[in-house]
Amino acid sequence: MDRDAGSAPGTGVLDTVQPVAGLTHASAELLRNPFLRLQAVIKLCSTYFDGVDQRELLSRVGLAGYTTAEGLVDGDVEDEEGATATERATGPATRRTRTSSRLVRDAALASRVKELHDHACQICETRLRYKRRPYSEAAHIRGLGNPHDGPDELPNLLCLCPNHHVLFDGLEIYVDVDGLVRDTHGGASVGRLRRHNSHHIDEAHLEYHRTLCDLNRMTRS
């Protein structure tokens, strides 16, 4: 009996193609690249899910990591049930046993990017002092956590003040192709990313972050 054009393929076809999660092996291999995977997510959201809450959709299908530049790391897991609303609100805070798994970051790299920029934010030039010592933060451009799988290396780091670190990780600002730092949702310039001759920044990581901001703009509209 002839099959309809929209019917499922027979088992013989599946045995021949050996799909991975419904994809051919070639497609599955391509999607191992974080940037291509991100572009595929944006294409699917803009083409097929324009009328739905896309942030909720990403969360429900296990792609919540795309809502921040940091991505998702193995989260803390409590060994007992969380606190209830009926627990007393006075006295010492309740203690619970927790187990966690964290990504290992190279502290020497973080120190290096801060020293190169003399702890001055590469966006606003702010130099903070805390407990009589300079304070700045090393921000990964492409997050180390899932699904970004960014590398822990100097070309993937920026030296930022806490304010701009939060905005950068939260996809509220991005660096455009001309080096201007712009507001994700309005496009207004908030400054220019200052460079240092001894600190090469991988433009591919900045492009990845810009694309994440495109997805954030789309899901927030």
Side-chain angles (χ1 to χ4, degrees):
M1 181 173 62
D2 292 338
R3 289 183 176 273
D4 295 331
S7 60
T11 56
V13 175
L14 295 176
D15 290 339
T16 301
V17 177
Q18 292 290 312
V20 179
L23 301 170
T24 64
H25 278 275
S27 299
E29 190 63 30
L30 281 174
L31 291 177
R32 292 182 185 276
N33 180 299
F35 187 53
L36 292 179
R37 199 163 59 229
L38 172 59
Q39 289 180 315
V41 169
I42 290 178
K43 183 65 174 178
L44 288 170
C45 285
S46 62
T47 304
Y48 299 105
F49 303 107
D50 189 42
V52 302
D53 184 336
Q54 294 178 358
R55 293 177 75 85
E56 174 66 18
L57 173 66
L58 291 175
S59 179
R60 291 184 64 181
V61 299
L63 297 177
Y66 285 115
T67 59
T68 70
E70 292 179 295
L72 300 176
V73 297
D74 296 333
D76 294 339
V77 179
E78 290 192 0
D79 290 337
E80 58 184 66
E81 293 183 0
T84 65
T86 57
E87 288 186 358
R88 64 180 185 177
T90 59
T94 303
R95 293 181 179 272
R96 293 185 178 82
T97 302
R98 301 171 69 92
T99 58
S100 64
S101 175
R102 300 290 188 187
L103 288 167
V104 178
R105 294 172 169 84
D106 190 336
L109 282 175
S111 296
R112 176 63 175 158
V113 75
K114 296 174 185 179
E115 291 169 359
L116 282 173
H117 295 278
D118 195 22
H119 293 275
C121 177
Q122 288 182 254
I123 295 175
C124 67
E125 299 293 342
T126 296
R127 283 185 175 88
L128 295 176
R129 293 192 66 81
Y130 177 67
K131 294 184 177 180
R132 300 183 180 180
R133 300 179 62 182
Y135 179 83
S136 59
E137 297 182 354
H140 285 89
I141 302 169
R142 197 177 94 195
L144 306 186
N146 293 326
H148 312 311
D149 301 329
D152 191 20
E153 60 184 21
L154 192 60
N156 190 34
L157 284 173
L158 297 175
C159 177
L160 300 178
C161 67
N163 284 354
H164 282 115
H165 191 178
V166 168
L167 292 174
F168 192 85
D169 280 354
L171 306 177
E172 300 296 335
I173 56 175
Y174 65 92
V175 181
D176 71 11
V177 294
D178 296 318
L180 291 176
V181 182
R182 295 189 177 277
D183 177 79
T184 296
H185 302 287
S189 172
V190 297
R192 176 177 290 277
L193 187 72
R194 179 174 45 75
R195 308 277 183 149
H196 189 287
N197 289 336
S198 298
H199 177 204
H200 167 71
I201 298 173
D202 192 328
E203 296 299 323
H205 297 326
L206 290 176
E207 182 183 8
Y208 183 91
H209 184 270
R210 282 195 296 273
T211 309
L212 270 180
C213 289
D214 286 342
L215 178 60
N216 186 43
R217 186 185 307 111
M218 181 190 310
T219 57
R220 289 275 295 274
S221 59

